């Protein structure tokens, strides 16, 4: 059968199921499939055979090295390349790769953030093969997705707790489903995750000319551009040729890696774009998202572009998010599919109520999971969901839920058919959920969409919370049913749903999440409104939360604490770097430029005075520039001092507060002074490209 290029090349750089089937002895293939399917431990003899086949495949595809690919707590991916090369006694070499090398690595990983779990003298860490995520080739290196743990088995990465949370959720969900199915549980229950990735693409020369973009990923200065996103002309607009060429190569590369990139378009802000793949099993989707982020950055440079993945690269226009579309399925069947009559679909309502209760009970953890110095600039800014967490159900489900709580039966109807008044246009059916973009956690037809994560985020963090909190609800349901074992199961289940929805009604909100009224109402409902990262981190030290993580074996107390410390440190470190960058830019770039410019004009004033010519404008300008440069000088000194003093605070929580309450305002004041000068200085003297240049290039 003739194959098109895309079909032929799709997944060619991934050691996938077909390759395994073709290359492994039948019993080995069967055993490996079972390990993957049933999430079982792998034996060394099987690993040896898999390693051999994987190496042969990799060599045929031009690989010379292998690496364990992992996700330390700093959120990026890490790798250390080892060649397959093994010298022999006779002076020749062999390209070798053993089962042990496949299964376990031992990076000297003392300089990854670990939140105090390891001191440098006991720096040993292990990477452990995750057979559920296929190995792939990147730049002639065979990459093996792994989890990263300490000598004592504590999680040092983002992936380990994610995998553990998937195991916990699967186990608990199977118990629930067995109750619905006469005691028989499905073979597999997995999460489905579809991450929508937003990013900016700007010209590489502008990126290079701005130390703030290079060092911090976002602009720390920049006057408001003459034009912003108010004309709504960028969203879904025609894509620039250079960007289009980039997107094409990106698709090709992602497809070869077996990443199902599907949708691409321009986003709301100028220079902003989005890429969405088709959803996949949770941990695989997250691996693939990380790989996508790496490719975005690397490939952009082929087109003279720089890709910005920061949550808020520019003030005055939207920042970038990463919507986390989440659902749960059992042997391929989506448990969040309401069907035509959700009111009669008890199993769906049970799972819906799990989600609602999980979000309400652990809203603090969910909020924490998306907190970062960068995302703080985005949440609550009328461009992204507010910092208050609520659940949106929409027109189809809200009446069902309300009726259930009132012990009534709601009739649902299919969305009405809309006659568009033009005979040539076919009638369309209204979706059963509209799109409330202001809701942080929205039911969108057959999945939930968590919209708070920032574009830079590793989605493991929020998914660990969702998975574990839903596992807890599954468990609660089973206990409830056991308590009423003499009653009819369906009636017990319905009562469970009613009570759960009634007890967690406060989290359901379908209105405008951006409005001030909602902030007030949320407060009346007792919903937390945690505006900044330092306020959110205590959720990791909360007894209830730690007990949940321990009970479902996702994180132990030491791991929770380590994550708390690592996150707190990350916040302070990022702001410290930003403050340092601002001080240097002010002293090395802005002050010299403004002083030189005002000096030139002062000389002109003197010359004009000699000639007896009026110099009102020049004098006025020199005055303003001098005031400006004096202010910048003082504010820079002030920021430098405040940063130094925040840096010296020993306690991580207090240090973060100092950064938020002292350093961030000092940064804002310095920025305002510099941006004010940008508006009155000549274009020639200004030392960096402005927002107008960067965002509206031709
Ligand atoms: P929109 O911008 O309208 O939210 P997109 O098409 O950009 O939608 O992205 C939706 C994402 O949700 C895609 O990654 C898609 O594969 C994913 N998705 C669709 N159905 C499910 C599901 N049942 N579970 C998880 N993710 C899903
Ligand atoms: Mg979406």
């Amino acid at each position: 059968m003739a194959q098109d290029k895309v079909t032929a090349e799709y997944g060619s750089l991934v050691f996938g199921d077909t390759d395994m089937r073709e290359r492994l002895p039948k019993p080995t293939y069967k055993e490996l499939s079972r390990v993957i399917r049933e999430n079982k431990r792998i034996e060394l003899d099987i690993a040896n055979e898999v390693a051999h086949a994987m190496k042969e495949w990799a060599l045929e595809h031009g690989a010379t090295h292998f690496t364990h690919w992992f996700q330390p707590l700093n959120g990026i991916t890490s790798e250390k390349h080892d060649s397959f090369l093994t010298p022999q006694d006779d002076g020749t070499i062999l390209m070798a790769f053993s089962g042990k090398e496949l299964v376990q690595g031992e990076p000297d990983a003392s300089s990854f953030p670990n939140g105090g779990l390891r001191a440098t003298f006991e720096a040993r860490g292990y990477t452990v093969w995750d057979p559920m995520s296929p190995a792939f080739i990147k730049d002639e290196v065979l990459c093996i997705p792994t989890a990263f743990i300490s000598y004592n088995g504590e999680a040092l990465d983002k992936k380990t707790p994610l995998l553990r949370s998937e195991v916990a959720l699967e186990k608990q969900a199977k118990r629930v489903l067995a109750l619905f199915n006469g005691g028989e549980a499905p073979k597999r229950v997995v999460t489905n995750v579809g991450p929508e990735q937003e990013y900016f693409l700007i010209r590489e020369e502008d990126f290079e000319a701005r130390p703030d973009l290079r060092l911090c990923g976002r602009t720390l200065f920049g006057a408001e551009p003459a034009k912003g996103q108010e004309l709504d002309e960028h969203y879904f607009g025609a894509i620039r040729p250079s960007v289009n060429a980039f997107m094409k190569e990106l698709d090709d590369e992602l497809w070869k890696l077996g990443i199902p990139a599907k949708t691409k378009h321009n986003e709301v802000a100028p220079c902003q774009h989005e890429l969405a793949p088709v959803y996949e099993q949770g941990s695989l989707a997250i691996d693939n998202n990380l790989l996508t982020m790496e490719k975005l950055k690397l490939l952009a440079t082929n087109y003279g572009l720089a890709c910005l993945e920061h949550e808020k690269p520019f003030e005055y226009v939207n920042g970038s998010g990463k919507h986390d579309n989440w659902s749960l399925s059992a042997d391929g069947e989506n448990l969040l599919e309401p069907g035509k009559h959700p009111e009669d679909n008890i199993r769906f309502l049970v799972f819906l109520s799990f989600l609602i209760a999980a979000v309400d009970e652990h809203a603090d953890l969910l909020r924490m999971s998306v907190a970062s110095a960068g995302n703080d600039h985005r949440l609550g800014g009328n461009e992204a969901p507010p910092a208050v967490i609520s659940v949106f159900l929409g027109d189809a489900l809200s009446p069902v839920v309300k009726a259930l709580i009132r012990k009534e039966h709601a009739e649902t109807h299919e969305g009405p058919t809309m006659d568009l008044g033009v005979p040539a246009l076919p009638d369309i059916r209204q979706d059963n959920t509209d799109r409330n973009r202001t809701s942080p956690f929205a039911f969108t037809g057959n999945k939930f969409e968590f919209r708070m994560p920032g574009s830079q985020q590793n989605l493991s963090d929020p998914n660990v919370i969702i998975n574990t909190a839903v596992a807890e609800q599954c468990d609660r349901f089973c206990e409830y049913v056991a308590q009423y074992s003499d009653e009819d199961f369906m009636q017990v289940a319905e009562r469970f749903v009613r009570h759960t929805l009634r007890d967690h009604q406060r989290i359901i909100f379908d209105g405008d999440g951006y409005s001030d009224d909602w902030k007030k109402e949320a407060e009346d409902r007792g919903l937390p409104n945690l505006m900044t990262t330092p306020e959110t981190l205590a959720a990791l030290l909360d007894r209830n939360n730690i007990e949940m993580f321990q009970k479902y074996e996702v994180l132990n107390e030491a791991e929770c604490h380590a994550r708390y410390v690592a996150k707190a440190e990350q916040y302070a470190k990022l702001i410290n770097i930003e403050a340092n960058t601002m001080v240097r830019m002010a002293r090395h770039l802005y002050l010299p430029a403004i002083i030189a410019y005002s000096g030139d004009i002062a000389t002109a004033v003197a010359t004009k005075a000699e000639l007896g010519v009026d110099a009102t404008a020049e004098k006025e300008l020199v005055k303003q520039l001098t005031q400006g440069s004096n202010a910048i000088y003082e504010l820079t000194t002030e920021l430098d001092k405040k940063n130094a003093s925040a840096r010296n605070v020993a306690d991580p929580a207090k240090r973060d507060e100092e950064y938020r309450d002292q350093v961030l305002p000092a940064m804002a004041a310095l920025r305002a002074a510099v941006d004010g000068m940008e508006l009155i200085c000549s274009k020639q003297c200004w030392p960096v490209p402005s927002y107008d240049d960067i965002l509206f290039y031709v």
Side-chain angles (χ1 to χ4, degrees):
M1 192 177 68
Q3 258 191 343
D4 63 285
K5 187 164 167 287
V6 175
T7 315
E9 289 189 349
Y10 189 84
S12 58
L13 294 179
V14 175
F15 188 62
D17 189 64
T18 321
D19 300 291
M20 293 188 219
R21 191 163 2 134
E22 277 171 11
R23 288 166 185 267
L24 290 171
K26 218 173 187 166
T28 313
Y29 170 71
K30 271 182 120 173
E31 178 56 19
L32 181 65
S33 309
R34 198 178 69 88
V35 164
I36 295 173
R37 209 177 40 243
E38 296 172 21
N39 209 343
K40 290 270 153 40
R41 202 170 298 278
I42 196 156
E43 299 300 330
L44 192 60
D45 54 335
I46 301 285
N48 276 328
E49 292 191 48
V50 178
H52 178 76
M54 207 185 255
K55 178 205 71 184
E56 293 294 307
W57 171 84
L59 293 177
E60 283 167 31
H61 286 78
T64 51
H65 289 67
F66 72 93
T67 183
H68 277 196
W69 189 69
F70 60 104
Q71 304 164 24
L73 292 182
N74 55 15
I76 54 173
T77 53
S78 296
E79 48 194 77
K80 175 188 91 172
H81 303 170
D82 279 303
S83 72
F84 294 119
L85 195 136
T86 314
Q88 301 297 292
D89 289 344
D90 63 2
T92 59
I93 56 140
L94 200 70
M95 295 299 259
F97 183 48
S98 70
K100 190 164 176 297
E101 285 171 305
L102 166 65
V103 171
Q104 182 176 330
E106 209 177 298
D108 172 19
S110 53
S111 30
F112 293 106
N114 59 67
L117 271 181
R118 293 169 323 149
T120 34
F121 60 86
E122 47 184 31
R124 210 194 287 258
Y126 297 116
T127 48
V128 187
W129 178 34
D130 167 18
M132 286 177 299
S133 191
F136 57 90
I137 291 176
K138 194 176 61 137
D139 300 328
E140 301 178 357
V141 179
L142 170 68
C143 300
I144 299 152
T146 54
F148 180 39
I149 54 167
S150 76
Y151 184 63
N152 296 321
E154 290 134 337
L156 291 175
D157 66 347
K158 304 266 181 187
K159 184 174 220 181
T160 305
L162 177 69
L163 295 176
R164 291 179 188 157
S165 73
E166 290 181 343
V167 171
L169 177 54
E170 173 164 27
K171 183 170 155 197
Q172 298 302 334
K174 277 182 175 173
R175 289 175 63 208
V176 174
L177 293 165
L179 290 170
F180 277 96
N181 195 31
E184 199 183 325
K187 285 204 179 62
R188 280 237 70 180
V189 177
V190 297
T191 59
N192 304 306
V193 171
E196 297 165 51
Q197 179 71 47
E198 290 181 343
Y199 59 93
F200 281 77
L201 283 176
I202 62 169
R203 285 183 302 194
E204 213 169 14
E205 66 219 60
D206 291 336
F207 176 78
E208 280 166 4
R210 301 245 358 181
D212 46 3
L213 283 176
R214 277 193 288 113
L215 297 176
C216 310
R218 76 175 182 109
T219 52
L220 302 166
F221 297 98
E224 183 168 2
K227 161 179 167 177
Q229 62 191 39
E230 61 273 40
L231 296 179
D232 291 328
E233 59 196 348
H234 195 255
Y235 190 53
F236 283 17
I239 300 173
R240 274 192 180 98
S242 60
V243 171
N244 210 19
F246 156 78
M247 286 178 166
K248 275 191 183 152
E249 188 182 352
L250 178 67
D251 275 342
D252 282 343
E253 289 290 302
L254 295 179
W255 290 337
K256 280 188 212 160
L257 286 164
I259 300 175
K262 173 100 173 156
T263 309
K264 52 186 181 184
H265 60 81
N266 284 355
E267 258 302 331
V268 171
C271 292
Q272 193 185 28
H273 312 279
E274 179 182 305
L275 171 92
V278 178
Y279 68 88
E280 297 178 279
Q281 182 271 329
S283 54
L284 176 61
I286 291 167
D287 278 358
N288 282 342
N289 174 250
L290 293 167
L291 206 46
T292 301
M293 288 173 72
E294 187 180 314
K295 287 287 173 196
L296 277 168
K297 284 210 160 174
L298 287 176
L299 294 179
T301 60
N302 292 351
Y303 299 86
L305 298 167
C307 176
L308 310 178
E309 291 172 353
H310 196 281
E311 298 87 353
K312 190 70 183 176
F314 303 100
E315 278 306 309
Y316 311 109
V317 298
N318 281 5
S320 299
K322 175 149 54 199
H323 292 173
D324 177 14
N325 293 276
W326 186 99
S327 69
L328 190 67
S329 58
D331 294 340
E333 192 189 345
N334 183 358
L335 299 167
L336 290 178
E337 177 61 59
K340 280 205 173 128
H341 295 283
E343 70 279 15
D344 297 326
N345 187 346
I346 293 288
R347 194 186 69 184
F348 164 75
L349 291 171
V350 163
F351 278 90
L352 182 75
S353 73
F354 291 168
L355 264 296
I356 290 169
V359 173
D360 189 25
E361 281 179 15
H362 300 287
D364 59 339
L365 275 177
L366 267 182
R367 172 67 186 90
M368 178 283 300
S369 76
V370 297
S372 70
N375 216 17
D376 280 0
H377 297 294
R378 201 182 138 253
L379 296 178
N382 283 7
E383 53 168 284
V388 185
I389 295 197
S390 62
V391 175
F392 168 88
L393 292 179
D395 293 344
L397 281 186
S398 271
V400 175
V401 165
K402 284 197 186 115
L404 259 168
I405 294 173
R406 286 198 305 264
K407 278 190 151 178
E408 290 163 5
H409 191 84
E411 286 294 319
T412 49
H413 304 283
E414 267 183 52
T417 307
M418 289 181 281
D419 177 0
L420 302 180
V422 179
L425 295 179
D427 287 348
I428 59 162
R429 196 167 287 288
Q430 204 177 24
D431 270 345
N432 64 1
T433 54
D434 62 2
R435 294 167 168 250
N436 183 337
R437 290 281 164 190
T438 68
S439 174
F441 207 94
F443 185 74
T444 48
N446 62 0
K447 59 181 160 63
F448 275 95
E449 184 169 344
F450 185 36
R451 303 207 180 100
M452 289 176 117
S455 47
Q456 232 177 158
Q457 164 135 36
N458 181 322
L459 280 189
S460 299
D461 295 342
N463 283 294
V464 165
I465 313 294
I466 300 173
N467 297 346
T468 314
V470 174
E472 181 183 50
Q473 294 302 322
C474 293
D475 193 8
R476 192 170 68 84
F477 175 77
C478 295
E479 277 176 22
Y480 185 87
V481 172
Q483 221 181 316
Y484 300 100
S485 54
D486 49 345
E487 289 180 45
D488 173 56
F489 167 69
M490 282 310 207
Q491 273 176 9
V492 175
E494 193 173 328
R495 192 168 67 230
F496 173 91
V497 171
R498 190 164 57 246
H499 288 177
T500 305
L501 294 175
R502 185 196 60 203
D503 295 348
H504 295 285
Q505 267 181 88
R506 63 169 192 166
I507 198 82
I508 300 171
F509 177 66
D510 281 1
D512 178 4
Y514 292 173
S515 70
D516 286 333
D517 289 350
W518 169 234
K519 283 195 196 101
K520 175 83 192 45
E521 189 182 330
E523 199 183 324
D524 294 343
R525 293 189 188 191
L527 299 175
N529 183 6
L530 306 172
M531 291 299 293
T532 62
T533 299
E535 290 158 83
T536 70
L537 299 188
L540 275 169
L541 305 179
D542 176 81
R543 277 267 45 103
N544 273 340
N545 291 336
I546 293 177
E547 272 161 25
M548 172 181 76
F549 284 132
Q550 276 182 326
K551 181 165 182 196
Y552 298 101
E553 299 178 330
V554 172
L555 292 169
N556 64 27
E557 183 155 7
E559 289 169 326
C560 286
H561 189 260
R563 259 142 235 269
Y564 166 82
V565 173
K567 267 199 106 150
E569 284 179 346
Q570 177 95 340
Y571 180 81
K573 281 179 187 168
L574 283 176
I575 300 178
N576 172 51
I577 295 170
E578 291 187 347
N580 279 339
T581 307
M582 286 187 91
V583 167
R584 284 176 202 204
M585 284 176 78
R587 288 184 182 150
H588 298 169
L589 296 172
Y590 294 123
L591 275 177
I594 299 163
I595 290 168
Y597 181 52
S598 63
D600 287 351
I601 303 174
T603 313
V605 172
T607 316
K608 280 195 170 177
E610 272 170 33
L611 296 174
V613 179
D614 175 44
T616 311
E618 286 88 340
K619 280 187 195 157
E620 198 47 47
L621 202 50
V622 173
K623 235 194 267 169
Q624 285 181 27
L625 291 168
T626 308
Q627 275 167 4
S629 49
N630 286 343
I632 292 171
Y633 182 82
E634 272 170 32
L635 291 166
T636 305
T637 313
E638 182 84 359
L639 173 59
D640 207 17
K641 259 205 250 157
K642 292 204 157 143
N643 188 26
S645 110
R647 227 177 6 231
N648 284 330
V649 178
D651 178 66
K654 294 225 171 68
R655 192 189 314 137
D656 282 359
E657 279 167 20
E658 185 99 355
Y659 268 103
R660 182 193 58 197
D661 300 337
Q662 300 296 327
V663 180
L664 285 182
M667 284 166 61
L670 175 57
R671 176 177 185 149
V674 172
D675 292 358
M677 289 295 100
E678 184 180 344
L679 291 173
I680 62 166
C681 276
S682 85
K683 185 78 191 146
Q684 277 87 359
C685 89
W686 204 247
V688 297
S690 67
Y691 273 26
D692 288 308
D693 305 322
I694 302 174
L695 293 172
F696 298 96
Y697 69 90
V698 280

